Structures are given as structure tokens and as C-alpha cells.
Amino acid sequence: TQLLEQSPQFLSIQEGENLTVYCNSSSVFSSLQWYRQEPGEGPVLLVTVVTGGEVKKLKRLTFQFGDARKDSSLHITAAQPGDTGLYLCACGTSYGKLTFGQGTILTVHP
Amino acid sequence: DAGITQSPRYKITETGRQVTLMCHQTWSHSYMFWYRQDLGHGLRLIYYSAAADITDKGEVPDGYVVSRSKTENFPLTLESATRSQTSVYFCASRDRGQNTEAFFGQGTRLTVV
């Protein structure tokens, strides 16, 4: 089982600040997904990164996949209260298994 | 309506009772999953299924049983509930392929007293 380590576990910031969340593993990822979960709801996919060194942007969110495919990061620019939620990284296998990290709880204060 | 639905949304049960959580998806996705979510642990995989009649253990399978006689249904049974099984349970499904998106139900909040 591939272990996914996320950091930090908690993040509390003011509106307008920037932040970065990390997802690391001792093994190589075949691909990595980032999900966001709001209270009372199930997680929703934000992005999938597949290629080492890949960078994807989703409005104010920037996702990077490390060159060695052992790490990934999520950077949010000018955070807004609407960004508040639980951010999860996940990796899948060719036989279907999907494993998640322990998540980062982000709170953005107005 | 298309989607993935869980029932019940909330359940309170007593220690030692058997409880079944239901999950139904309308996409005919091959893969289905059960996770539990506790503060500080993210989503921990209980069981998953690659197809009807094919199931496999995840990280925390003890005390749980699953079945998948039909592609669209994936019930999770707690054979003899314990307080440590108090949690929020999420069912998910996704199509074949390593990078496909997982779709989640709204969760079942289970309290064992």
C-alpha cells in the first residue's frame, strides 16, 4: 500500500494570503489526484496530474507534480473564504484501488 | 436521477447490533469503494470492488463485510457494531482506468452507542 503523507494537517489563514499544501510518498506515483471536500459533502475531484514536472492551473489553484513523481503540491493564490475545506491527495492503481492522504483542513478567515 | 446515493444518511445503533449501509450508483462504474472518515485520518479505505462478485480488503477491513452481487450496489455490513466504528462512511465509484475520477455519495454518519 502506497502511503501518502500530507502537510500541513491544519492551515488557518486570512483572506488574501497565499498557501501551499504538500503530498509526499516514498514510492513513485503513477498519477495523483487532488480532491476538495466541503462539510457534509463527499470529496470532489479538482485535478489529476500524470506526468513528472507537470503543472496545472485551475483559476487561483496551481498543482505541481514533482519531477520524480514522488511528490505533489497545491498552491492557492489570494485565498478566499470560499476556499475553506478539506484538501485530499489520492493515488490510484491499475487494478482500481484508490488511496487517500490524511488531508489538510484549510480555514480562510474574512 | 443519475449519481451515487447512500442510505441511510444518519444511523444510531447499539453496540453488538448488525448494521448495513447501502450504496447505489447509476453509471455502471466498474470500481466501487467504501471509506470511513475520522478527524485526522482523512479517508481510510475499508473495502473496494473491481466488478460484480470481486471484492478486496483495504486498509481497515476488520469488523466489516461487503458484497457485490450487482454492479450498481455495494452494501457494507458491520457484523457486530463497536463504538470504534462510530464514523462517517463514504461510498464512491469510478470507471475503469487508473486516472478516472471518483464520485462520492453524501456519506452516512453512523453512531454506535
Side-chain angles (χ1 to χ4, degrees), chain A residues 1 9 30-31 33 35 37 40-43 45 48 50 86 88 92-103 105, chain B residues 9 31 33 35 37 39-43 45 48 50 57-59 90 94 97-106:
Chain A
T1 300
Q9 191 172 356
S30 52
S31 62
Q33 295 180 324
Y35 288 78
Q37 183 180 18
E41 303 290 331
L45 180 69
T48 300
V50 178
L86 174 66
L88 296 151
T93 68
S94 56
Y95 48 91
K97 188 175 179 180
L98 185 64
T99 305
F100 285 81
Q102 72 267 47
I105 298 174
Chain B
R9 289 292 310 277
Y31 302 137
F33 309 85
Y35 296 90
Q37 187 169 42
L39 189 63
H41 290 282
L43 290 169
L45 183 63
Y48 65 106
K57 295 178 180 180
E59 306 163 56
F90 284 97
R94 65 183 190 139
Q98 198 163 346
N99 304 324
T100 56
E101 178 177 1
F103 295 90
F104 285 80
Q106 289 197 295

Side-chain angles (χ1 to χ4, degrees), chain B residues 50-92:
Chain B
D53 297 322
I54 301 175
T55 62
D56 206 349
K57 295 178 180 180
E59 306 163 56
V60 289
D62 293 343
Y64 304 95
V65 175
V66 293
S67 62
R68 196 168 175 204
S69 57
K70 292 184 178 181
T71 299
E72 61 266 29
N73 296 324
F74 191 38
L76 174 74
T77 298
L78 288 65
E79 295 183 295
S80 179
T82 64
R83 290 198 180 90
S84 65
Q85 292 177 310
T86 292
S87 187
V88 180
Y89 291 85
F90 284 97
C91 178

Side-chain angles (χ1 to χ4, degrees), chain A residues 2 12-13 29 31 33-34 37 43 49 52 55-57 60 62 75 81 97 100 105 110:
Chain A
Q2 183 157 23
S12 179
I13 62 171
F29 296 120
S31 62
Q33 295 180 324
W34 284 94
Q37 183 180 18
V49 287
V55 176
K56 283 191 173 179
K57 292 194 174 185
R60 292 176 294 99
T62 301
H75 182 79
K97 188 175 179 180
F100 285 81
I105 298 174

